[in-house]
Amino acid sequence: MNTVLESLFILGISHHKTPLDVRERLALTEAEATELQKQIYLGTGIRECVVLNTCNRIEIYALAEDLSELAVVRSRLCLMKGFPENAFAEYAYSYNNLQALQHIMEVSAGLDSQIIGETEILGQLKQAYTMALQANTTDKVLNRVFEKSFHAAKEARRKTWITRGQISIGNVSVDLAARIFGKLSDSRILLIGSGEIAEKTAQALKSRGVRDISVSSRTLQNACKLAGSLEGTAIHFDNFKNQLHHFDIIICSTAAPSLLLDKGCLLKAMKQRPDQPCFIIDLALPRDVDPSADSIENVYLYNLDDLSGIADKNLEARKADIENARRILKKHAWNLWLQLRRSELMRRV
Amino acid sequence: MFENFTLTDRSVFAIAAAMYGAGFFYGCRILRTDRPYSRTVMFSLLLGGFLMQTLGLNLRGTAVRACPLGNPFEIAQFLGWSLILLFLIIGPAFRLRFLGFFTAGLSTLLTAGAFLVPAWDYVYVSKTTGENAWIELHAALALFSYGIFGLLSLVSIMFLIQEQGLKKKQFKQIYQFLPSVQQLDLMAKRLLIGGLLLLSASLIFGAVFWVKDFERVPVFKLTATCLVWLGYLTIFTLRIRKKLINRRHAIASIGLFIFAMASLWPIQSLRSMKLPPTGAALTSQVPVAAPSR
């Protein structure tokens, strides 16, 4: 039986097969994406369509009168971007029927993303779907497909490890800080050095509510610049050791060839705040903080290896759970497929 | 259908213990399977158990015509009840993750454990309520403060686990569910103050009785209770002076609670030795009237 559902298809390119320079050439602006969606919907035998446009993928979800419409959609995209069709075919992929449903669910759950389990893609899919809804280019089938996909993605995330556990140094640090302090809004941060990872870590902490950030660097100008971007204050490098006891989180990332903070220096600081914990993140190579400082009561010292070790283990846990997540999504895709078939049959009757 | 059904206080206590046990096993399952932890499930199980235990204590109190604190079985039930009551207040207010699991564990140990020693639920002669008002208030307050100290020891255990996890760079299993060390430390401080105030009040009320009837207060009981009070006062003083903090504070709180629990047993043994042997069946098994048709 040749039902219209057999013409439900996805056409796209993604980071898996398409190099960055090609993705750059094919990248759509928001206006272009809207225009393409409109052209596809109005100009051809397409019943419903949604265009997803992110930095890692362009995908067109469509329900057509006939599967031959796929070639027409491909032509429209290539024409808009002035990209040769035969070259596009080299990078593009397409799915239809049940496979299309499975694909969209995997995309929603972040299984098809560059960073497995990332949640940004779900927001981008929701945004694309909202735009299509506003433009009236969707109807019963794609509406149900998208809504069920969001639901399936949520379940896969809830029941597996694919999104749990942070996989970047900054976010792992934020998680650890939360395990030490709970709410981070009252925590005071000292950034020693102006390394890039330290800056990102400070930004991650700031995004979780930290308001009080101080920066100290050998070059006061650098410290002032970084402090300005983090809405914090700069401290003179010769002076920061006397103020260590004021800070709850200390992030070190200098290029100093030897230890910057020894155990004695930290013991002295902790004597002034014996009942307050201190989280020290040593991101420098060679290390800035004496490793033996970890034995001081209430001091929690983590270096780059510790943080990346946690991030790696979280990533492993995510990867190990991909198959479980896929199984959940397949079940949802199959159920949705049966529902769509049933409603299509009912419609015909 | 319900005519032959009698609900005794012991069966109500057993249902309560089963509900606390269910809460504890739910937490164990979460830890084993690494699945998300539902506060609602834990809270509902503990609330259900608490209501049953309140009913049980009420039935027992009606039977003995006094606050049911006359034998080790009743004391264990009252302590378990105090712990859960405190959790039901503190849990939602301070949102301490996984506290329900630990509370369920200790309450199961106390309430279900009391059933394992049938001799604990011996018959005792209860005095009239009016005569015993001060001493009953003293006993109830003292045991409730022990409940607070029980919760303090649980919070201290959670603190030690989280602290150890952070020091050893552990981040999965139980560590991901526990509150932050700072939250736990703050809660430990609050519980210590609350427990100490209540125990002090209990001792003041006890002193009223002691002054009236010096002979009837066992020296061992008085000494043990005063030692417990002095112990917590010392912990509190040292903490305020920042001499006993964090890890050492947590260990001291756990150690002192174990001592407090251990001191309850000889106190009750002495008390039971003074009572005349009855050999009678448990008078406290009060049947509840079945719904009539």
Side-chain angles (χ1 to χ4, degrees):
Chain A
M1 186 176 61
N2 184 21
T3 68
V4 73
L5 286 177
E6 285 174 22
S7 313
L8 173 73
F9 67 82
I10 294 171
L11 171 71
I13 55 141
S14 75
H15 59 93
H16 288 300
K17 266 174 76 181
T18 317
L20 187 64
D21 56 326
V22 179
R23 294 207 307 272
E24 275 170 351
R25 282 178 64 190
L26 284 164
L28 299 165
T29 61
E30 205 179 312
E32 282 176 334
T34 315
E35 180 57 28
L36 179 68
Q37 189 170 265
K38 195 175 155 189
Q39 279 184 21
I40 292 170
Y41 184 68
L42 293 177
T44 61
I46 297 283
R47 286 186 176 191
E48 302 176 38
C49 82
V50 175
V51 174
L52 172 72
N53 175 40
T54 74
C55 53
N56 275 338
R57 69 179 70 235
I58 296 172
E59 284 187 350
I60 298 157
Y61 308 88
L63 181 72
E65 298 289 347
D66 193 82
L67 202 56
S68 61
E69 291 295 332
L70 198 146
V72 181
V73 171
R74 185 168 49 214
S75 303
R76 285 198 181 275
L77 174 61
C78 291
L79 191 69
M80 178 175 267
K81 297 307 293 181
F83 197 85
E85 267 194 66
N86 52 351
F88 181 83
E90 205 180 306
Y91 303 114
Y93 52 83
S94 65
Y95 302 103
N96 66 331
N97 306 334
L98 184 60
Q99 270 189 323
L101 296 180
Q102 277 171 10
H103 178 76
I104 186 177
M105 285 186 183
E106 288 188 11
V107 171
S108 309
L111 289 190
D112 202 50
S113 299
Q114 209 159 22
I115 299 167
I116 296 155
E118 58 102 358
T119 50
E120 203 182 343
I121 186 68
L122 187 63
Q124 289 165 330
L125 258 173
K126 282 182 177 173
Q127 199 182 356
Y129 173 55
T130 311
M131 274 172 62
L133 270 179
Q134 282 165 356
N136 283 323
T137 61
T138 62
D139 202 354
K140 281 178 191 167
V141 175
L142 279 189
N143 284 349
R144 186 176 284 189
V145 167
F146 273 85
E147 272 151 25
K148 290 280 175 188
S149 298
F150 301 151
H151 172 73
K154 201 174 158 190
E155 189 181 321
R157 284 183 170 150
R158 198 181 67 239
K159 290 187 174 174
T160 66
W161 263 92
I162 55 164
T163 50
R164 273 194 276 162
Q166 301 299 341
I167 52 173
S168 71
I169 300 288
N171 288 333
V172 168
S173 306
V174 170
D175 268 10
L176 286 167
R179 271 177 63 192
I180 297 168
F181 302 103
K183 271 198 302 181
L184 299 181
S185 52
D186 298 329
S187 302
R188 300 184 72 186
I189 297 184
L190 172 64
L191 227 70
I192 308 171
S194 48
E196 197 189 333
I197 312 176
E199 187 187 343
K200 281 186 178 164
T201 306
Q203 267 164 353
L205 287 161
K206 194 167 178 266
S207 71
R208 285 281 293 267
V210 174
R211 287 189 292 251
D212 194 334
I213 302 177
S214 301
V215 185
S216 186
S217 179
R218 277 187 203 280
T219 323
L220 190 62
Q221 215 175 358
N222 285 351
C224 289
K225 197 177 156 192
L226 186 55
S229 70
L230 293 167
E231 294 171 350
T233 50
I235 296 178
H236 203 281
F237 197 72
D238 299 334
N239 197 26
F240 82 85
K241 279 189 186 174
N242 300 327
Q243 300 186 32
L244 284 178
H245 60 280
H246 291 305
F247 297 98
D248 303 303
I249 302 169
I250 300 170
I251 305 171
C252 301
S253 69
T254 71
S258 57
L259 292 177
L260 201 67
L261 296 174
D262 57 22
K263 195 177 174 182
C265 169
L266 287 166
L267 265 172
K268 195 179 149 196
M270 289 309 287
K271 267 188 183 167
Q272 295 184 66
R273 46 175 294 148
D275 56 344
Q276 297 292 313
C278 182
F279 180 30
I280 304 175
I281 307 167
D282 188 358
L283 300 171
L285 269 175
R287 284 180 282 188
D288 280 344
V289 187
D290 184 356
S292 66
D294 195 31
S295 62
I296 303 173
E297 195 176 6
N298 248 343
V299 168
Y300 303 99
L301 172 63
Y302 280 73
N303 61 35
L304 202 55
D305 273 6
D306 298 327
L307 297 172
S308 50
I310 294 172
D312 287 347
K313 279 183 185 164
N314 282 336
L315 188 62
E316 272 171 35
R318 283 188 182 197
K319 282 182 179 166
D321 240 8
I322 287 178
E323 277 316 307
N324 290 333
R326 205 161 264 156
R327 212 171 296 128
I328 292 168
L329 297 172
K330 266 186 181 168
K331 193 186 80 185
H332 277 274
W334 180 247
N335 285 342
L336 177 59
W337 178 245
L338 291 177
Q339 280 176 24
L340 290 172
R341 287 282 298 263
R342 211 177 298 133
S343 53
E344 178 63 18
L345 279 174
M346 289 298 288
R347 196 183 62 81
R348 288 183 166 208
V349 170
Chain B
M1 182 183 171
F2 295 106
E3 276 158 9
N4 296 325
F5 179 73
T6 53
L7 192 65
T8 65
D9 53 6
R10 279 180 71 90
S11 56
V12 174
F13 285 137
I15 295 168
M19 292 187 90
Y20 298 152
F24 180 68
F25 282 109
Y26 167 71
C28 289
R29 192 175 159 268
I30 292 295
L31 284 178
R32 203 169 54 83
T33 56
D34 228 359
R35 293 287 171 250
Y37 172 70
S38 164
R39 278 197 178 111
T40 317
V41 172
M42 182 61 84
F43 192 85
S44 307
L45 283 169
L46 296 190
L47 180 65
F50 174 78
L51 292 175
M52 293 310 285
Q53 214 176 8
T54 309
L55 175 66
L57 285 171
N58 192 27
L59 291 174
R60 182 62 71 103
T62 312
V64 298
R65 297 179 66 200
C67 189
L69 297 169
N71 62 34
F73 177 84
E74 290 174 2
I75 286 174
Q77 295 300 329
F78 192 84
L79 267 176
W81 179 84
S82 311
L83 263 175
I84 298 293
L85 174 65
L86 284 163
F87 166 75
L88 294 176
I89 298 165
I90 288 170
F94 295 97
R95 299 184 72 79
L96 285 180
R97 274 178 296 172
F98 233 50
L99 180 62
F101 167 68
F102 284 89
T103 314
L106 185 56
S107 295
T108 309
L109 188 73
L110 285 167
T111 55
F115 278 94
L116 299 177
V117 193
W120 276 10
D121 200 10
Y122 54 75
V123 181
Y124 59 91
V125 184
S126 170
K127 280 92 188 170
T128 55
T129 314
E131 193 188 353
N132 270 355
W134 285 112
I135 201 69
E136 276 182 19
L137 184 63
H138 151 77
L141 282 178
L143 278 178
F144 198 73
S145 72
Y146 279 29
I148 297 180
F149 293 136
L151 206 62
L152 167 63
S153 66
L154 290 180
V155 168
S156 300
I157 290 169
M158 289 164 78
F159 175 91
L160 290 176
I161 294 172
Q162 184 66 290
E163 198 245 5
Q164 184 73 359
L166 283 162
K167 283 278 187 194
K168 300 274 176 201
K169 275 78 179 174
Q170 300 291 318
F171 59 99
K172 280 192 180 166
Q173 293 164 333
I174 196 165
Y175 309 107
Q176 62 184 328
F177 295 112
L178 293 176
S180 69
V181 282
Q182 210 168 35
Q183 274 177 302
L184 289 167
D185 193 45
L186 185 65
M187 182 48 67
K189 189 178 170 184
R190 286 171 176 159
L191 287 170
L192 177 64
I193 295 169
L196 195 58
L197 284 175
L198 223 58
L199 188 59
S200 306
S202 152
L203 288 179
I204 292 167
F205 290 126
V208 174
F209 179 76
W210 183 62
V211 170
K212 277 186 189 170
D213 198 349
F214 182 78
E215 291 294 310
R216 276 175 66 187
V217 180
V219 180
F220 180 80
K221 183 185 171 182
L222 189 70
T223 316
T225 315
C226 286
L227 273 178
V228 170
W229 178 78
L230 207 62
Y232 280 109
L233 186 69
T234 310
I235 291 180
F236 175 71
T237 314
L238 290 175
R239 183 178 172 127
I240 292 296
R241 297 175 69 184
K242 296 186 180 176
K243 300 276 182 204
L244 191 74
I245 45 161
N246 304 312
R247 192 178 172 75
R248 277 169 291 151
H249 176 266
I251 292 169
S253 301
I254 297 166
L256 198 53
F257 181 66
I258 293 169
F259 171 76
M261 285 290 95
S263 70
L264 277 178
W265 185 76
I267 290 170
Q268 284 304 315
S269 299
L270 282 171
R271 185 177 171 163
S272 62
M273 278 162 61
K274 286 182 179 179
L275 291 168
T278 57
L282 288 169
T283 54
S284 53
Q285 292 189 355
V286 186
V288 175
S292 54
R293 297 193 180 193

